[in-house]
Amino acid sequence: MDGCLDITPVKIPRPSYFSFVDLSIIEEAEKLDAVVASSKKRYGNIPLDFVIIYKTKPTLGIAIEGGLNTRQPIPKVISIQHGGSAFESGRLKCGHQILEVNGQKLCGVEHREIVKIIADAFQDVSTNRLNLLVTMNLSQISQSYILNSMDRK
């Protein structure tokens, strides 16, 4: 041959095992699926999303409205500031209604307490992220669920 190598394609087999990283990713996905499935039992058949916000910036950078003492019983994201962790995550959107923060339900909680719950969760040094259960359409949540949540307070 004139200086060129003859290359024969070699098929490399895929591993028949998973690394610890692969397993942790699979475990995390299964956990998220389980959380959403159990949440569907609690909230009914509404579109739910599990948003993870890593604490990559010094601020969360969101503004919310709503709470028990307002006309909107569930907090809703009304703005996301550039430069905050929520913006960096790219998953949280304006209009998302936050049902839970790190497993803590926000239905039936006054606005001031909701703000404190979210801020405390963001400042918690024992974890590097915030886990939010959100939806875009709460009109389908049963009124009985909302009323029951308010009665427990």
Side-chain angles (χ1 to χ4, degrees), residues 6-127:
D6 187 20
I7 299 177
T8 305
V10 176
K11 191 170 186 176
I12 300 173
R14 293 174 78 60
S16 59
Y17 64 90
F18 291 105
S19 71
F20 289 115
V21 173
D22 294 333
L23 288 174
S24 67
I25 291 170
I26 291 168
E27 264 182 32
E28 190 69 25
E30 288 172 352
K31 285 179 192 174
L32 296 180
D33 290 344
V35 167
V36 171
S38 69
S39 297
K40 284 198 179 284
K41 289 178 188 173
R42 192 168 37 250
Y43 295 106
N45 193 20
I46 61 171
L48 294 173
D49 197 10
F50 195 77
V51 176
I52 297 173
I53 299 175
Y54 288 94
K55 300 174 186 179
T56 58
K57 301 292 179 182
T59 62
L60 179 57
I62 66 170
I64 60 166
E65 65 181 9
L68 177 62
N69 56 331
T70 69
R71 289 181 291 166
Q72 181 175 312
I74 305 291
K76 179 170 139 180
V77 177
I78 57 173
S79 72
I80 300 173
Q81 288 80 32
H82 291 276
S85 291
F87 180 79
E88 290 289 315
S89 83
R91 299 264 334 269
L92 192 65
K93 307 293 181 204
C94 286
H96 267 150
Q97 293 169 305
I98 305 172
L99 301 172
E100 298 179 11
V101 176
N102 292 347
Q104 188 169 357
K105 294 168 192 61
L106 300 182
C107 191
V109 178
E110 290 191 3
H111 178 81
R112 184 181 307 222
E113 184 64 20
I114 290 169
V115 171
K116 183 178 180 340
I117 290 168
I118 294 171
D120 289 349
F122 187 76
Q123 294 170 357
D124 180 4
V125 295
S126 69
T127 181

